[in-house]
Amino acid sequence: MNGRRYDEPEDEDRGPLSELDIDSDKESFADSAALEPGLGVRDESGQDATPLIASRAGTLNVDTGAVLPGQEQRGRKPGGSSKKVVAWRDLPKKRQLVVITLARLSEPLVQTSLQSYMFYQLQWFDPSLPDSVISSQAGILHASFTAAQFFTAMIWGRVADSTWAGRKTVILIGLLGTLLSCVGYGFSTSFYQALFFRCLGGATNGNVGVMRTMISEIVREKKYQSRAFLILPMTFNIGVIIGPVLGGVLSDPAGSYPDTFGKVDFLLRFPYATPNLVSAMFLCIAMIFCWMFLEETHDALQGKRDFGIMLGRHLTGLFKRRGTSVAYTPLHSRDTSISTLSVEMSPVTPRDSSEGARTPSKKPSSPRRRYTARLPFRRIFTPNVTCTFVAHFFLAFHVGTFNSLWFIFLSTPVYDPAHPDPPGFAPRPPFRFTGGLGLPPRSVGLAMAILGTIGITMQLFLYPRLSSRLGTVRSWRYCLFLFPVAYALAPFLSVVPSTTAPPSQKTGPYIWVAIAGILLIQVTGRTFALPGQTILVNNCTPHPSVLGTVHGLGQSVSSFARTIGPVLCGWFYGLGLNHGLVGGVYWGLAGMAVCGLIASFWVREGNGHEIWLEGDEDEEGDG
C-alpha cells in the first residue's frame, strides 16, 4: 500500500467503505481512482458513478467532483504541492488555534521583555562588576531557562502522550510555572535569586513541543501546514515586538521617570518588578482561556469530561443565542490535495459550523482512534529522525545564541579611544576592534522590535507563497545560506559612524540603517527556517503514538543547543571584549551556521507515519 512498511501483515484490508455492497474488495481497491473514502464511488474512467454515498458514521458524504489524490499524484512529481496558496481563512478549527496563539504569545512577551533590561538589572545587582563579567552572567541567565527545559522537555512530552494527563494539562502546568517564575524574577535582588526563578520557569515549561503536537493534531492536512505551523513563530515575533517595548518602558520607572516615580519606595526597592507583573497578568489571562476553551487533542482523552470546557461553553452560551441549522463542514484527512474537498451534511450549530467541527444529531460518540498500539521508545530514532534532530541542533544553536548576544551587544558600552578597554588597545580594522553600541533599555527595545516587525511582515506575506512554490525542504534549506552572511556582518556595527562622540551611545541614521539591514538578512533566514524546521520535526515522526514524545525530544535538542550556545558564546564575547576582538564570537557563530547548512542535505520530509503497527487506522483513503 503506497510503499508503507507494516510490522505485522494483515489478513484482510478493510476500509471505511467495506460495509457497502460491493462485489469484490480486490476490484474496489485495485485502483485508488475506483474508490475513495468520503468522496464516492467512481467508475474505471474516473467519472462519478455514485455522487452520494453513506459512510460508516452514518453521515452524508458529498462528492464535489474534485481531483482525487491518486489521480493527482500520477500527474505530478512526488512530493509536489499545489501552487494554490492556502489562505488564513481556510484553516480549520480557528478557535482552537487562537487559544494556542494566546498561550504562545504570553511566553515570548516574558522572555523578550527581560532581555531589554537584563544587562542593566545585572549591573544593579552588583555595580562593581566589569562589563565582561556581566556579559557572562547575562549568557548564564539567558541559558538557565533552556537548560532546565533540556532536562524536562522530553518528560513533559511523555506526560503529554500519556492517557492520565494529556496535552492540555501539560500546557496549563507550563503557564502556571512560567507565571510563578516571572513574579519571582521581578522581585529578585541578586543574581542567584534570578537564576533560581529562571530555572524554575524552564523546568515547568514544555509548552512549545506540546503546542506543536496539538497543532499537528488539529490541522492534519499537509496543505495547511505552511500556515498552521507558521502560527507559533509568527506569534513569537509579535512578542518580540511588544515585549522589548514593555520591558524598556516599564523597567526601572523611578530612574527613567524620576519626576513621577522617583519617590515611590516600592519602585526604588524593586525597580524591575513592574514589567514582570505585567507579563504575569498576560500569563494569567492565557491560562484562564486555555482552561476554559482549549480542547484536548489526545485521541484517548477526547471523550472525557473537561470541567473547564463545560464552564467556557456555559459562559459563552450566556452571550450567544443557540440555534441549530444544516451546514457543510469539512472532513479532514492528512494528505489530501488542495483541490480535494470532502464535506458532510449534518446538523451543526452556527458556532460549530464556523469552526469546521461536527455535532452529531443525536448523542455524541467518542472519536475513532487512529491507532491502538504505541511505538516503543527505542524505535523512535530512525535515520531521518536523527538527521532532522542534528540539523535542528545547529539551527537552534546559532539562532538562540544570536538572540542572546544581540541584546548584550546593543547594551555594551561604545569603545572610547580616550579610555581604551582593554588598556592601551588601538583598533586595527578590519578584524581588530571592540565595543558595542551602548544603547539604553528603551533603544534596545526598539531595536528588538524592528527584528520582530520585519519577521512578522515576511511571515504574513512572503513565507506562505514561497513555501508553496518551493516546498518545505527547499525553502528551509535555501534560507540557511543567509545566516552566515548576517553573523559575519553583525560585529561591524561597532565601527559604523555615529553622530555622537564616544562614550555616548551610537546615534544617527547610519547606525539604524545598518541595524535594519543586518536584521533583514537574519530575520529573512529565520522566517523560513523556524516554521520549516517545525514541519520537518513534526513529519519525521515515525508513528503518531509518539508525536508528543518526538516534539518533546525536539524541544530538548533545541533547549540543549540554546543552553550551551549562550553560555559558551557569552564567555567568548567577554573574552573578545578583553582582547579587542569583539567580532570573534560572531564569526564563530557563522561557522556553526555553515555546519547546519551542510547537515541539511541529509534531511528529508517524512509523512508522520513511517512505521505502521497492527491496528493502525489509515486516514489517507486506503482503508
Side-chain angles (χ1 to χ4, degrees), residues 402-462:
F402 177 82
N403 292 338
S404 174
L405 288 176
W406 181 246
F407 74 89
I408 300 175
F409 181 57
L410 295 178
S411 304
T412 301
V414 177
Y415 171 74
D416 185 5
H419 302 88
D421 184 21
F425 174 76
R428 294 191 297 274
F431 302 113
R432 296 282 294 180
F433 55 89
T434 188
L437 276 63
L439 301 182
R442 279 176 290 183
S443 298
V444 172
L446 176 61
M448 296 182 69
I450 292 174
L451 185 149
T453 303
I454 295 173
I456 194 171
T457 301
M458 288 191 294
Q459 285 171 339
L460 282 172
F461 302 106
L462 182 63

Side-chain angles (χ1 to χ4, degrees), residues 157-474:
R158 299 291 283 180
V159 173
D161 277 338
S162 68
T163 57
W164 55 269
R167 328 291 197 205
K168 182 175 179 178
T169 302
V170 173
I171 287 181
L172 291 175
I173 293 173
L175 290 173
L176 178 61
T178 306
L179 187 153
L180 296 176
S181 70
C182 182
V183 174
Y185 182 86
F187 287 92
S188 298
T189 56
S190 69
F191 169 73
Y192 292 104
Q193 289 179 5
L195 182 63
F196 169 78
F197 285 109
R198 288 285 290 164
C199 290
L200 174 65
T204 56
N205 192 320
N207 283 6
V208 174
V210 179
M211 288 176 183
R212 290 169 178 168
T213 302
M214 295 189 77
I215 288 177
S216 69
E217 291 172 330
I218 291 171
V219 182
R220 293 178 182 169
E221 295 182 74
K222 283 190 176 181
K223 66 179 182 181
Y224 295 126
Q225 286 186 346
S226 64
R227 292 280 187 181
F229 281 107
L230 190 60
I231 291 175
L232 296 186
M234 187 173 66
T235 303
F236 177 83
N237 277 321
I238 296 175
V240 167
I241 296 172
I242 303 174
V245 174
L246 286 177
V249 171
L250 298 177
S251 63
D252 193 15
S256 300
Y257 317 100
D259 296 336
T260 306
F261 303 106
K263 297 181 180 180
V264 180
D265 182 64
F266 173 79
L267 298 178
L268 292 173
R269 292 177 56 198
F270 305 105
Y272 299 98
T274 309
N276 286 277
L277 290 176
V278 173
S279 298
M281 181 185 67
F282 279 108
L283 286 164
C284 184
I285 294 173
M287 188 167 58
I288 293 173
F289 269 79
C290 285
W291 182 57
M292 291 196 301
F293 300 109
L294 184 61
E295 298 175 1
E296 178 61 61
T297 60
H298 195 300
D299 277 10
L301 298 176
Q302 290 184 25
K304 291 191 176 182
R305 178 175 298 181
D306 189 325
F307 292 102
I309 294 292
M310 293 170 62
L311 177 61
R313 287 176 177 170
H314 177 71
L315 294 177
T316 303
L318 296 178
F319 302 97
K320 208 169 192 179
R321 291 185 58 187
R322 295 174 180 242
T324 302
S325 61
V326 175
Y328 289 97
T329 58
L331 285 172
H332 303 299
S333 61
R334 192 175 188 91
D335 282 317
T336 53
S337 70
I338 289 181
S339 60
T340 303
L341 177 64
S342 301
V343 295
E344 69 172 342
M345 190 167 66
S346 59
V348 295
T349 62
R351 173 178 63 85
D352 289 337
S353 177
S354 64
E355 289 294 304
R358 280 186 247 178
T359 302
S361 56
K362 295 184 180 180
K363 59 181 181 179
S365 59
S366 299
R368 186 172 55 195
R369 297 190 63 178
R370 292 172 292 144
Y371 54 88
T372 56
R374 186 171 182 177
L375 188 71
F377 182 80
R378 65 180 183 278
R379 300 189 60 191
I380 291 177
F381 298 96
T382 63
N384 189 45
V385 170
T386 303
C387 293
T388 303
F389 281 170
V390 170
H392 188 36
F393 171 84
F394 283 112
L395 179 64
F397 184 97
H398 61 74
V399 170
T401 303
F402 177 82
N403 292 338
S404 174
L405 288 176
W406 181 246
F407 74 89
I408 300 175
F409 181 57
L410 295 178
S411 304
T412 301
V414 177
Y415 171 74
D416 185 5
H419 302 88
D421 184 21
F425 174 76
R428 294 191 297 274
F431 302 113
R432 296 282 294 180
F433 55 89
T434 188
L437 276 63
L439 301 182
R442 279 176 290 183
S443 298
V444 172
L446 176 61
M448 296 182 69
I450 292 174
L451 185 149
T453 303
I454 295 173
I456 194 171
T457 301
M458 288 191 294
Q459 285 171 339
L460 282 172
F461 302 106
L462 182 63
Y463 174 77
R465 295 183 180 277
L466 290 185
S467 178
S468 176
R469 181 177 297 273
L470 298 177
T472 301
V473 176
R474 289 175 63 193

Side-chain angles (χ1 to χ4, degrees), residues 589-600:
L589 209 58
M592 290 294 292
V594 171
C595 293
L597 174 61
I598 295 173
S600 70

